[in-house]
Amino acid sequence: MKSLDEIAAALQGYDPQALSVPHVLAFLDQLITPLSSQDDQELPIPQALGRVLACDAISPVDVPPHDNSAMDGFAFDAAALASSHALRLRVVGTALAGAAWPGTVGSGECVRIMTGAIMPQGLDTVAPQELVQIEGDTITVPPGRLRAGDNRRLRGEDIRAARAALTAGQRLTPAALGLVASLGLPTVRVKRRLRVAYFSTGNEILSLGQPPREGAVYDSNRYTVMGLLDRMGCEMIDLGVVPDDPALLRSAFTQAANEADAVITSGGVSVGEADYTKAMMRELGDVAFWKIAMRPGRPMAVGRIGSSVLFGLPGNPVAVMVTFLAFVRPALLKMMGCVNPTPPLLQAACTEALRKKAGRTEYQRGLVTRNAQGVLQVCTTGNQGSGVLSSMVQGNGLIVLHHEQGDVRPGDTVDVMMFDGVI
Ligand code: AMP
Ligand code: MG
């Protein structure tokens, strides 16, 4: 495990007083290691939703296990197809899903077949019911409408036996769960859930239920952080609001670090802070205090307390969510064992002019829609102040204006980090 100084020394151009977003990501990449495989768990499929696969899920079988029909219709041998004239076939039986049809089929014959039924021996093509003419026990297949292999699913076309159906590091989505179940595997090996402790700091922060008082604001950060962590499937330890008191801060940090893999705090890390939060982080851990070249979210503390990773986020509610999405989420996903933690950015035409200074990364709250031509466009959502949480509620993504990027003109293409399903 590298110390923060060692990580910093190896990063070219590292300047904690003006750290670029790419530098932060490179730093975190060095700091963060995935959970140990000693804690991997074998879980029944119904309990594994959202977990990260600890090792490849190797298929014991071909899926589907045999060639079968994709349609209700008539199975026949395509060798008899001719493009110039219709094909007349006699129906000699019915193949139902769930069991092999026991008969044999001669030339000029076909078998009525249901979706999912095993293709009878020697037959490779299915004429859908709606395509053929049926008279008594004879069907007529019109010319030029079918090719060999049509409407037949091949054995193993979804997954081959002995191959990895899913690879380690994939999160188990509903589709992935279904896929694993289709292999007949009753359990999967997954990473354990990540334990994350979080608390808000500041004497002015009220907990819900406390009466309002002058100069005080209700805690919103704990609820956005809770929601973001819950979406990721983390185990959460809520340590409440911790006032600016050294003894209380020490005990909160100590408990958090003892119980959790990661600790997230908000507030108390900016330069002007007269409080004890930074002092306590410094005393108890190995922590770097940064001014990041970004907006919102300039001040941030990152490091370790004991074996926990610490993210000291800024206090402003939008800054908390932005730094979480930009840095904390990918870092936690890496800890959880995910191999592809960052979703791809989307591109949209910006409908308005945006002022942007080169030399910092800006995250504006955006609303992506489709214009009349079906092309994605994005506008900003109102007041972009770092305390204006409603801008996050109205938007569906963050417009990412990169470090070197300057002003945006109406119609310019911009990158957007969508947060549907994430926040
Ligand atoms: P700080 O980084 O501690 O200087 O906080 C910056 C701003 O964010 C101040 O206006 C704080 O009142 C506000 N703030 C800090 N923590 C919270 C919180 N948990 N919920 C809502 N606002 C907060
Ligand atoms: Mg404060």
Side-chain angles (χ1 to χ4, degrees):
M1 205 166 67
K2 288 183 203 156
S3 74
L4 265 59
D5 283 344
E6 284 168 330
I7 297 173
L11 270 188
Q12 270 208 350
Y14 174 83
D15 174 6
Q17 292 305 304
L19 205 58
S20 71
V21 165
H23 267 113
V24 173
L25 293 170
F27 193 103
L28 289 174
D29 199 47
Q30 297 287 307
L31 180 74
I32 303 295
T33 48
L35 291 174
S36 154
S37 55
Q38 280 170 5
D39 294 335
D40 293 349
Q41 300 171 309
E42 194 78 26
L43 282 189
I45 301 296
Q47 289 167 33
L49 182 63
R51 295 298 196 96
V52 178
L53 266 188
C55 49
D56 293 355
I58 305 292
S59 179
V61 291
D62 282 327
V63 179
H66 34 65
D67 292 4
N68 69 91
S69 177
M71 304 280 278
D72 290 342
F74 298 88
F76 65 101
D77 179 358
L81 274 177
S83 57
S84 52
H85 52 87
L87 177 65
R88 281 172 67 81
L89 298 166
R90 199 165 68 83
V91 185
V92 295
T94 300
L96 300 172
W101 184 70
T104 50
V105 187
S107 93
E109 294 177 342
C110 69
V111 175
R112 187 165 144 72
I113 193 163
M114 300 300 147
T115 305
I118 301 177
M119 292 294 286
Q121 199 75 45
L123 308 187
D124 58 7
T125 304
V126 174
Q129 200 160 286
E130 14 340 327
L131 189 70
V132 304
Q133 239 177 32
I134 308 169
E135 292 156 77
D137 67 349
T138 304
I139 63 161
T140 306
V141 183
R145 301 288 297 274
L146 289 174
R147 281 174 312 177
D150 276 359
N151 307 310
R152 171 200 51 175
R153 304 175 183 137
L154 283 174
R155 169 181 181 154
E157 76 173 22
D158 191 358
I159 295 153
R160 285 295 176 88
R163 301 249 183 94
L166 291 167
T167 50
Q170 271 185 283
R171 268 189 102 190
L172 291 166
T173 58
L177 277 193
L179 191 74
V180 180
S182 78
L183 313 178
L185 296 176
T187 61
V188 270
R189 197 150 189 83
V190 296
K191 305 301 291 179
R192 74 162 165 82
R193 281 170 61 160
L194 196 69
R195 281 190 289 273
V196 184
Y198 54 95
F199 56 92
S200 299
T201 69
N203 283 338
E204 80 281 28
I205 309 302
L206 294 173
S207 284
L208 296 179
Q210 287 185 310
R213 73 169 188 269
E214 193 174 58
V217 292
Y218 281 106
D219 184 7
S220 60
N221 293 340
R222 215 147 41 90
Y223 302 95
T224 53
V225 167
M226 178 199 78
L228 287 158
L229 292 172
D230 197 23
R231 284 269 203 257
M232 297 175 64
C234 295
E235 217 172 282
M236 296 178 284
I237 304 165
D238 181 350
L239 296 177
V241 177
V242 181
D244 193 23
D245 173 297
L248 294 174
L249 281 165
R250 179 179 288 110
S251 106
F253 275 118
T254 308
Q255 184 190 348
N258 282 341
E259 293 180 9
D261 306 299
V263 180
I264 299 174
T265 64
S266 68
V269 292
S270 49
V271 200
E273 288 293 335
D275 63 25
Y276 293 102
T277 306
K278 288 210 285 188
M280 203 51 67
M281 290 177 178
R282 213 176 260 126
E283 180 191 315
L284 298 173
D286 180 17
V287 180
F289 296 91
W290 292 334
K291 279 190 211 148
I292 306 173
M294 71 186 288
R295 203 162 119 157
R298 212 156 91 92
M300 192 168 133
V302 163
R304 292 192 194 95
I305 298 182
S307 57
S308 294
V309 177
L310 170 74
F311 299 95
L313 305 185
N316 278 306
V318 178
V320 167
M321 295 198 79
V322 167
T323 49
F324 189 102
L325 292 171
F327 308 131
V328 181
R329 188 169 190 274
L332 296 183
L333 286 170
K334 183 176 176 188
M335 292 177 84
M336 289 162 65
C338 265
V339 285
N340 45 0
T342 37
L345 297 176
L346 193 130
Q347 290 201 319
C350 192
T351 58
E352 60 194 286
L354 302 176
R355 292 190 61 74
K356 160 71 169 61
K357 261 206 263 178
R360 71 180 183 209
T361 305
E362 286 190 20
Y363 299 85
Q364 305 226 1
R365 275 68 72 205
L367 181 65
V368 176
T369 51
R370 269 156 59 103
N371 68 13
Q373 288 76 46
V375 177
L376 293 183
Q377 60 179 21
V378 63
C379 61
T380 57
T381 58
N383 184 341
Q384 296 288 307
S386 63
V388 182
L389 206 47
S390 51
S391 66
M392 288 295 292
V393 176
Q394 288 155 17
N396 57 7
L398 292 173
I399 301 172
V400 184
L401 303 173
H402 298 282
H403 193 80
E404 293 309 338
Q405 209 169 334
D407 288 343
V408 173
R409 292 160 306 175
D412 282 356
T413 300
V414 290
D415 280 339
V416 184
M417 185 193 286
M418 294 302 286
F419 49 59
D420 273 350
V422 172
I423 73 166

